Amino acid sequence: MQRIGVLTSGGDAPGMNAAIRAVVRKAIYHGMEVIGIKRGFNGFIEGDMEPMRLGSVADIIQRGGTILHAARSEQFKTPEGRAKAWENVDRFSLEGLVIIGGNGSFAGASTFHREYGLPVVCVPATIDNDIYGTDYAIGFDTAVNTAVDAINKIRDTATSHERTFIVEVMGRDTGFIAVAAGLAGGAESILIPEQPYDLDEICHKLLRGYRRGKLHSIIVVAEGAGSGLEIGRQIKERTGFDTKVTILGHLQRGGTPTAFDRILASQLGARAVDLLRQGARCKMVGMQAGKIVDLELDEALAKRKTVDLELYRLAEILAI
Ligand code: F6P
């Protein structure tokens, strides 16, 4: 294999740049050429692509975001859009493609491979961490650390004013960030889409804590579990506590990646290039129990990764 493309797609995640760097440098190390595709599948369709050299990825390992830019492409979901992308595969003589992104991007990659046969390897990168086949997706560790840092700061002001705080974190369909940040941040309660919750019970717990002399409370809510604003309003109404809501939002998607995310991204990006060199057709790379692994992309897409409920329960127990 002589020439491959690389793109970042979906919501950006800290560490994507480290993954791009690894793909470009590992490929060049093996004498291959790399074409950088801008703005995810949109740039693929429009031919917004250019050769990448060693210097193209200099000084980016520490930067958040993605130098290739990212997009959620509606056009690539259509056969016409994918046909245009195929024309660019031909125009740029691509023999393989590395897609750095999340589930939606991987589904697009799988369809494209099925229709046109281009070898694809997917690298999991999403702060949501909801990709089957890998314990960690690139960006998750950074996002959790960002959320914990925010919770620490909120705790200071919550204590000073004896307030209850709702901290809404990202996680459209899953509570991975909420559970990790809630446990590490010492939250009183964690609300996630995977687990039903009873607001009355949560209010009783808050009142119990108050009677025991607790001066403040922090409740972490995954966005998929309900609106933080609405939950805050109801808690205030039911307990009478001075309740404030902080929505962390896209803050969690930016920032310099942690060392863990940079190392993970470097390993996954390099393995993706190796897989293409070895003749992989449609794969995903991941980390399982500390080891870098690969699996069939369609297996990863067919299965659902579930949040660690033991960790969730532990957080609940430790917050009595
Ligand atoms: O990338 C995942 C994610 O951050 C989700 O947690 C969130 O719901 C969504 O992306 C937001 O996407 P957008 O930036 O496109 O609004």
Side-chain angles (χ1 to χ4, degrees):
M1 184 160 296
Q2 269 315 300
R3 196 179 247 219
I4 61 170
V6 60
L7 61 83
T8 47
S9 171
D12 61 354
M16 276 184 163
N17 279 329
I20 297 168
R21 173 180 179 270
V23 170
V24 170
R25 296 232 164 134
K26 185 72 159 55
I28 292 175
Y29 174 83
H30 290 293
M32 297 157 72
E33 289 174 323
V34 183
I35 302 294
I37 302 168
K38 306 269 186 67
R39 298 180 291 113
F41 290 120
N42 284 345
F44 199 22
I45 291 167
E46 291 161 24
D48 191 1
M49 299 153 67
E50 62 184 33
M52 300 193 79
R53 322 206 180 282
L54 288 176
S56 316
V57 292
D59 199 25
I60 66 166
I61 195 167
Q62 79 286 7
R63 280 166 56 188
T66 157
I67 58 162
L68 290 175
H69 304 281
R72 299 189 197 277
S73 176
E74 285 305 315
Q75 243 193 312
F76 199 70
K77 290 182 185 157
T78 67
E80 297 76 27
R82 293 192 295 275
K84 283 191 190 152
W86 177 246
E87 282 171 22
N88 289 317
V89 169
D90 209 31
R91 188 152 78 92
F92 286 85
S93 307
L94 297 185
E95 295 165 74
L97 183 64
V98 177
I99 298 99
I100 304 166
N103 278 318
S105 314
F106 291 5
S110 164
T111 306
F112 193 65
H113 170 76
R114 209 169 37 250
E115 289 175 345
Y116 295 99
L118 183 76
V120 295
V121 177
C122 290
V123 175
T126 164
I127 64 163
D128 285 0
N129 202 30
D130 57 351
I131 300 177
Y132 180 87
T134 188
D135 295 344
Y136 296 103
I138 297 164
F140 171 68
D141 185 63
T142 307
V144 169
N145 277 287
T146 300
V148 170
D149 184 48
I151 292 169
N152 291 343
K153 288 172 178 154
I154 286 167
R155 184 182 286 278
D156 289 344
T157 177
T159 316
S160 306
H161 289 269
E162 301 179 25
R163 279 173 170 160
T164 297
F165 264 85
I166 312 297
V167 182
E168 185 186 299
V169 297
M170 274 189 166
R172 208 174 9 199
D173 308 310
T174 53
F176 288 95
I177 297 179
V179 170
L183 175 57
E188 269 62 34
S189 288
I190 303 170
L191 310 191
I192 58 174
E194 294 89 338
Q195 284 293 100
Y197 56 85
D198 178 349
L199 270 189
D200 278 332
E201 233 171 69
I202 290 168
C203 290
H204 281 137
K205 190 173 169 187
L206 292 176
L207 288 162
R208 234 181 14 248
Y210 178 74
R211 282 195 291 272
R212 262 187 16 230
K214 254 191 182 180
L215 293 182
H216 66 267
S217 302
I218 290 174
I219 298 168
V220 173
V221 179
E223 59 177 336
S227 149
L229 283 170
E230 180 53 25
I231 290 166
R233 197 188 60 75
Q234 290 200 31
I235 288 180
K236 186 175 187 168
E237 201 177 278
R238 294 181 203 192
T239 60
F241 289 165
D242 187 4
T243 308
K244 300 281 175 184
V245 179
T246 301
I247 299 172
L248 298 185
H250 288 80
L251 198 90
Q252 297 156 96
R253 286 242 295 261
T256 185
T258 58
F260 179 87
D261 273 331
R262 297 182 204 191
I263 294 167
L264 177 68
S266 302
Q267 289 178 295
L268 296 181
R271 175 62 77 90
V273 171
D274 277 341
L275 284 172
L276 286 174
R277 287 175 59 238
Q278 290 157 10
R281 308 292 305 156
C282 188
K283 293 267 193 184
M284 183 193 118
V285 289
M287 177 188 265
Q288 291 176 10
K291 297 260 180 299
I292 301 302
V293 298
D294 58 79
L295 61 155
E296 291 303 320
L297 179 60
D298 288 339
E299 184 197 343
L301 284 170
K303 294 183 178 162
R304 196 177 146 77
K305 181 172 164 188
T306 50
V307 83
D308 183 347
L309 288 179
E310 270 183 42
L311 207 59
Y312 172 78
R313 283 195 202 99
L314 178 64
E316 292 264 299
I317 290 168
L318 300 184
I320 45 168

